[in-house]
Amino acid sequence: MYFRYHESPTGPLLLAGDDAGLQLLYMDNAARWHPQADWQPAARQLDEACRQLDRYFEGRLKRFDLRLAPRGTAFQQEVWKALQAIPYGHTTSYGALAERIGRPRSVRAVGTANGANPISIIIPCHRVIGRDGSLTGYAGGLPRKALLLKLEGVNLQPAQDQLLLI
């Protein structure tokens, strides 16, 4: 596994992957922030992911085109694939996401899978909000979620917009 740190407007990011593709993208307050002992610093292996992240943060990239290899259960993989179908600048609710994967009664399980997403930003779990339009939990913190949504042009409720000041 190769790893690399990358600076972003949301703070430092840790990226890790191997020949199968990108496996992790963590923000600096994620629980598993440090590389594993057997990981190697990336030479050029993660350059394309970093280039695309830079373009995204500049507002010049609306859809990532990277080989992804997140590890998770079949259900998590199904949810993460559905997350990738949420268009840039749009949001959905946990309930709508559960319906999209054909499991309308699995709203909590969808929320749990969303929270376990190992490739934040690129697998856009930040685009999932509460049914009432409120921001809900985000592993990177609600201020980062608000920043990402605002970057994508999502109009936040006034109280949520204040999160950007924190």
Side-chain angles (χ1 to χ4, degrees), residues 31-45:
R32 300 159 293 208
W33 175 235
H34 299 288
Q36 302 293 316
D38 60 340
W39 293 4
Q40 301 174 7
R44 305 194 62 76
Q45 291 89 343

Side-chain angles (χ1 to χ4, degrees), residues 92-166:
T92 193
S93 69
Y94 295 100
L97 196 57
E99 287 181 24
R100 178 178 288 165
I101 65 168
R103 299 175 186 232
R105 294 184 181 170
S106 299
V107 176
R108 286 186 183 190
V110 164
T112 300
N114 193 58
N117 172 19
I119 306 177
S120 61
I121 303 169
I122 294 171
I123 297 178
C125 54
H126 61 277
R127 295 179 187 154
V128 181
I129 61 174
R131 179 180 54 216
D132 63 357
S134 64
L135 291 185
T136 55
Y138 185 61
L142 289 181
R144 284 193 180 99
K145 183 173 189 165
L147 183 129
L148 291 169
L149 291 172
K150 192 160 187 159
L151 171 93
E152 294 184 11
V154 174
N155 290 322
L156 302 175
Q157 297 173 7
Q160 296 167 344
D161 209 20
Q162 293 300 311
L163 289 170
L164 295 173
L165 301 176
I166 296 173

Side-chain angles (χ1 to χ4, degrees), residues 53-107:
L53 283 163
D54 289 343
R55 291 182 60 223
Y56 167 81
F57 285 117
E58 293 165 357
R60 298 183 313 137
L61 181 79
K62 296 190 181 342
R63 185 161 181 82
F64 290 94
D65 183 20
L66 296 167
R67 194 172 49 205
L68 304 179
R71 292 184 182 165
T73 66
F75 180 78
Q76 288 172 327
Q77 296 283 346
E78 188 177 10
V79 171
W80 299 338
K81 185 173 180 156
L83 289 171
Q84 293 175 71
I86 305 168
Y88 178 97
H90 292 82
T91 59
T92 193
S93 69
Y94 295 100
L97 196 57
E99 287 181 24
R100 178 178 288 165
I101 65 168
R103 299 175 186 232
R105 294 184 181 170
S106 299
V107 176

